[in-house]
Amino acid sequence: MRSNPFLSFLLVLGLGFSAQARAESLTWEQAVSLCAQSNTDLRSSDEALKQARLSVARTAAAFLPKASASAGLSESGPYDVNGGFGDGSSGGSASLSANLNLFNGFADLAARSKAKAALDSALAAQQTTRAQVGYQLRAAFLTLLQAQEAEAQALTIAARRKDNVDLVQLRYEAGRENQGALLQTQALSAQSAWQAHRATRSRRSAALSLAQLLGRDSGDDLVAQGELVAPEAPADEIPAAALQDLPSLRQAQDALISAQQDARSASASWWPSLGASASVGRSGGPWLSDSGSWSAGLSLSLPIFQGGTRVVDQLAAASRLRDAELSLADAKRQAYSTLRNSLDAYLNGAEQAGVQALFYQASLVRAEVGRAQYTQGLLTFDLWDQNETDLINAQTSASSSLGDAQRAAAAWQRDL
């Protein structure tokens, strides 16, 4: 007796679902925890922030005095070509010195302000990275949930198509249906079996994408725990505070501050510089003499001509400042556009999910009524088959719209 390919297909799917039951079931909270521990992008942003903090700490050295100590021993005496080395004498030296930069045209203040702006920019970049990774993780988790549901739906559809084959087969054998209807139903059954296989492969691919975000090489053992539900549509307005706290705007503002401090540093080269220094030391004798020396003083210097480099540097800094101002204005416009588009996509997705759910419920009722009417001979094959196709399409669209709406909600949270 020939084996039934559909029964073999059901057996394969059954084994697949049994394997899923033995796999690792992962909740959303667990996925977030694992991603925070192993995601390389998050760890890299943490290191960049650490480097920015160290750069700020380094600029504090310019406001502190610098001190140094030195010591030495020496031996000296006469030397004659014929007589060789004569008796020599020894001596030693030791000194301690310190100096402090009192004023250098505010260049040190500009460098510190620039480092602080870079630190805030690194904080904003870290926030952006976390939001982006969070969105990627949420999208991957939702995609796996949707793929799992699509696989289950494909199995349900395949079973329903198989029942339809049996129903049309009975009517054909009773002489109440034509061969074309039977062949059409068998073809649709074979198509649904292929679609179920494709859904299984899509689910495996979605599991692998999620596993990679969790730092794993394989996703064969991952099953997302949860269900797709329609998100609540938010208010159709952008929160006023959202535009002020956007990382992209903060980075543009920090770039402007950095350009301002560069211009300040360029201007500092026209100012005089003032410094203080002090030293004390002893030298002489076999080691050190009983007397020593000390010194203290102030120094003032004013650059008069540097070959025109100061003028060029100041003009270049002014150009970078104007460019940063233009970039900030563009970033504000782009930020509003991004939020508006993201919110519209969220609203459209939430509303569409609700509409598709209504279509699915209507198609389900029509399909059940149509099946009963077709069984009783009250409905033609074409109308009954259309009802079945509408049900399958509505079920698929409802599931797809739920996933799209959830991803749009995740994108809105990412962009805020």
Side-chain angles (χ1 to χ4, degrees):
M1 183 177 64
R2 296 177 58 187
S3 61
N4 188 320
F6 185 77
L7 292 179
S8 300
F9 161 74
L10 289 181
L11 177 60
V12 171
L13 279 186
L15 292 175
F17 278 97
S18 297
Q20 285 192 43
R22 296 191 301 270
E24 179 184 1
S25 182
L26 203 64
T27 65
W28 168 242
E29 291 74 15
Q30 291 171 331
V32 170
S33 178
L34 290 172
C35 184
Q37 297 172 14
S38 58
N39 188 272
T40 55
D41 289 339
L42 294 179
R43 295 168 65 184
S44 178
S45 68
D46 291 340
E47 292 299 324
L49 182 60
K50 183 187 297 184
Q51 295 168 23
R53 287 197 172 103
L54 291 173
S55 296
V56 173
R58 191 178 188 279
T59 59
F63 300 92
L64 299 175
K66 296 175 178 60
S68 62
S70 63
L73 291 174
S74 65
E75 184 79 19
S76 63
Y79 170 73
D80 185 85
V81 176
N82 298 321
F85 292 96
D87 295 335
S89 61
S90 60
S93 65
S95 65
L96 179 65
S97 63
N99 60 78
L100 176 64
N101 180 17
L102 298 178
F103 179 74
N104 68 343
F106 306 106
D108 293 335
L109 288 173
R112 186 163 179 82
S113 297
K114 184 176 180 179
K116 288 182 176 179
L119 173 59
D120 187 70
S121 181
L123 285 168
Q126 184 192 55
Q127 183 180 349
T128 300
T129 299
R130 289 181 175 178
Q132 183 62 32
V133 172
Y135 168 75
Q136 292 173 351
L137 182 66
R138 185 60 179 167
F141 192 86
L142 290 171
T143 299
L144 180 54
L145 273 179
Q146 187 175 355
Q148 290 169 182
E149 184 170 317
E151 187 179 24
Q153 286 180 355
L155 177 61
T156 302
I157 292 170
R160 187 180 185 93
R161 288 295 194 187
K162 180 60 174 64
D163 290 341
N164 291 348
V165 171
D166 295 338
L167 176 59
V168 176
Q169 179 76 39
L170 290 174
R171 291 177 59 83
Y172 173 71
E173 292 174 353
R176 299 169 60 189
E177 194 57 84
N178 61 69
Q179 186 179 17
L182 177 60
L183 293 175
Q184 170 74 4
T185 308
Q186 290 173 339
L188 290 172
S189 180
Q191 181 187 50
S192 64
W194 163 75
Q195 289 172 338
H197 280 294
R198 183 181 61 179
T200 298
R201 289 187 283 270
S202 296
R203 189 258 306 161
R204 286 202 303 260
S205 177
L208 179 59
S209 297
L210 177 59
Q212 290 175 339
L213 286 172
L214 302 179
R216 301 185 181 186
D217 297 328
S218 174
D220 293 340
D221 60 340
L222 283 184
V223 174
Q225 182 178 332
E227 60 178 335
L228 291 173
V229 295
E232 294 185 5
D236 190 5
E237 60 180 358
I238 299 175
L243 286 172
Q244 300 176 2
D245 298 333
L246 284 180
S248 58
L249 277 186
R250 286 175 54 192
Q251 288 180 303
Q253 291 166 348
D254 292 332
L256 176 60
I257 294 174
S258 180
Q260 290 170 340
Q261 300 311 316
D262 283 341
R264 191 178 184 185
S265 295
S267 299
S269 62
W270 297 89
W271 289 75
S273 60
L274 178 66
S277 62
S279 65
V280 60
R282 295 168 60 187
S283 62
W287 165 231
L288 292 175
S289 65
D290 294 335
S291 62
S293 63
W294 64 272
S295 67
L298 294 174
S299 63
L300 179 68
S301 65
L302 177 64
I304 297 177
F305 181 69
Q306 303 294 328
T309 57
R310 290 182 297 173
V311 176
V312 173
D313 290 344
Q314 194 163 18
L315 290 174
S319 177
R320 289 193 296 270
L321 178 57
R322 289 192 295 271
D323 184 57
E325 292 171 344
L326 293 173
S327 296
L328 178 58
D330 184 66
K332 289 180 179 179
R333 290 190 292 268
Q334 185 61 41
Y336 178 82
S337 176
T338 298
L339 286 179
R340 184 69 261 176
N341 292 336
S342 181
L343 179 57
D344 287 345
Y346 186 4
L347 291 168
N348 291 337
E351 292 173 0
Q352 184 182 22
V355 171
Q356 292 299 329
L358 294 176
F359 272 116
Y360 171 62
Q361 291 298 322
S363 298
L364 182 61
V365 173
R366 289 181 60 210
E368 294 304 321
V369 172
R371 174 181 286 269
Q373 291 177 335
Y374 179 69
T375 303
Q376 299 170 9
L378 301 177
L379 196 67
T380 64
F381 170 82
D382 290 337
L383 291 177
W384 169 71
D385 182 62
Q386 186 60 51
N387 285 344
E388 291 293 308
T389 301
D390 290 344
L391 171 62
I392 292 171
N393 291 338
Q395 185 179 23
T396 303
S397 297
S399 176
S400 178
S401 63
L402 279 178
D404 292 342
Q406 286 285 4
R407 278 186 288 272
W412 168 247
Q413 292 301 319
R414 174 201 62 193
D415 295 335
L416 277 178

